[in-house]
Amino acid sequence: MAAYFADAPRGPLFPPVTPPEVEAAEDIIGRPLPTLLRRMYTEVGDGGFGPDGGLASLTDGRRAPGDLIDWPCSITRHERDRAAGLPGSWPYLAPGGCTMQWHLSLLAVGSPMLLYDADGWVPSWGEGPHDGLRHATGSLRQWLWTWANGDDVWAEALSLP
């Protein structure tokens, strides 16, 4: 990621976080983050780059220049999502637009990416938050590589039944 931004006119939106800040986030989530994600947050930046709208920050209160509201915070969203019934092992990673959100599975091998649609399930039909979930890619690494290569991170998620 650092090499990706080396010649870019603008690097990552926010400066990197410290290892203790990552550990505090992991304590709230209740699970360690994948090594790749930890390195991105501590070596590249605290969100603001990556697929779709960019990775959420691990810390609250980040604001992009000219924005009127704070950048999404993964931990704040994670707490809200857990209260709404989403599993704690699915931390929020990035906005997907409208009611779509990118999450990371911390339980499955390879840390697959999950695409969650808050409008993709109907409680009155007996459905739960799992019904709004789509498997997006087999790993966080693959999802990020697809983005860094200039390819469509939505392709695999939308091609599955």
Side-chain angles (χ1 to χ4, degrees), residues 115 134-137 152-161:
L115 183 58
R134 293 185 70 92
H135 177 270
T137 63
D152 183 7
V153 295
W154 287 84
E156 187 175 347
L158 298 180
S159 68
L160 299 173

Side-chain angles (χ1 to χ4, degrees), residues 52-109:
D52 272 353
L55 295 181
S57 294
L58 282 184
T59 57
D60 239 338
R62 301 278 192 191
R63 187 168 294 184
D67 279 2
L68 299 177
I69 59 172
D70 287 346
W71 194 259
C73 174
S74 181
I75 302 309
T76 301
R77 296 277 175 106
H78 178 70
E79 291 295 291
R80 185 188 71 202
D81 290 343
R82 273 192 6 196
L86 269 70
S89 60
W90 297 357
Y92 172 87
L93 204 56
C98 296
T99 61
M100 306 290 266
Q101 303 173 352
W102 293 100
H103 289 261
L104 175 67
S105 173
L106 295 178
L107 293 180
V109 175

